[in-house]
């Protein structure tokens, strides 16, 4: 079912900013306290899954840089779809490792599910309103 739906561009901008803030703050927290991130990974019920990707401390740093970089790119609308894809890919192992072991009634698990939904909106629709990438297109004169 394909149907065009009119959406106010400013609301899409607000949605993108609100959604990106959690990734930006998480990235800053990972970089500020990679030891705490590593401890949280090592104490998680599914820490073995994270171990498949490498050392917990290094994962904390790498995910911090990626969350910050792609969170900022996403907020600014620079390669919005690709930034959302990268953030979704990063969020999957974080959700499995940290959130899944706490049960289905665990609030942060459902927060991550909501984040997946928000990211999927931008991946599927790729709205370009109020994005820096869109504003850099040359205007042709007729």
């Amino acid at each position: 079912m394909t149907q065009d739906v009119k959406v106010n561009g400013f609301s899409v901008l607000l949605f993108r900013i609100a959604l990106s803030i959690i990734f930006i703050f998480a990235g800053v927290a990972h970089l500020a306290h990679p030891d705490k991130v590593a401890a949280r990974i090592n104490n998680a019920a599914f820490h073995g899954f994270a171990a498949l990707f490498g050392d917990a401390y290094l994962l904390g740093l790498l995910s911090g840089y990626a969350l910050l970089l792609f969170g900022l790119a996403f907020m600014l609308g620079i390669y919005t779809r690709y930034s959302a894809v990268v953030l979704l890919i990063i969020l999957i192992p974080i959700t499995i490792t940290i959130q899944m072991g706490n049960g289905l009634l665990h609030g942060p698990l459902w927060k991550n599910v909501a984040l997946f939904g928000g990211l999927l909106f931008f991946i599927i629709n790729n709205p370009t309103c109020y994005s820096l990438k869109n504003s850099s297109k040359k205007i042709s004169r007729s």
Side-chain angles (χ1 to χ4, degrees):
M1 178 166 124
T2 303
Q3 181 180 346
D4 288 338
V5 177
K6 288 190 176 196
V7 177
N8 182 292
F10 189 67
S11 71
V12 174
L13 172 65
L14 293 177
F15 183 27
R16 197 175 70 227
I17 291 170
L19 185 59
S20 67
I21 288 172
I22 193 163
F23 296 108
I24 294 167
F25 284 170
V28 169
H30 282 212
L31 293 173
H33 306 287
D35 51 329
K36 290 182 181 179
V37 174
R40 192 158 180 214
I41 291 170
N42 290 327
N43 293 327
F46 295 124
H47 66 275
F49 180 73
L52 296 172
F53 298 97
D55 175 64
Y57 187 86
L58 182 60
L59 289 174
L61 286 174
L62 291 175
S63 64
Y65 283 118
L67 289 166
L68 182 59
L69 175 70
F70 289 99
L72 286 169
F74 182 70
M75 182 174 69
L76 296 172
I78 302 171
Y79 297 109
T80 306
R81 175 178 277 160
Y82 300 113
S83 297
V85 167
V86 172
L87 291 169
L88 185 110
I89 290 169
I90 295 168
L91 192 58
I92 291 170
I94 291 172
T95 302
I96 292 170
T97 303
I98 303 297
Q99 309 302 345
M100 293 295 289
N102 295 317
L104 287 177
L105 298 179
H106 187 61
L109 169 65
W110 294 105
K111 177 230 5 151
N112 284 15
V113 171
L115 291 174
F116 285 127
L119 292 170
L120 285 171
F121 171 83
F122 286 92
I123 292 167
I124 293 167
N125 297 297
N126 197 28
T128 58
C129 45
Y130 296 101
S131 66
L132 288 181
K133 179 65 177 157
N134 189 40
S135 65
S136 66
K137 291 182 181 177
K138 292 183 181 178
I139 301 172
S140 61
R141 294 182 184 196
S142 302

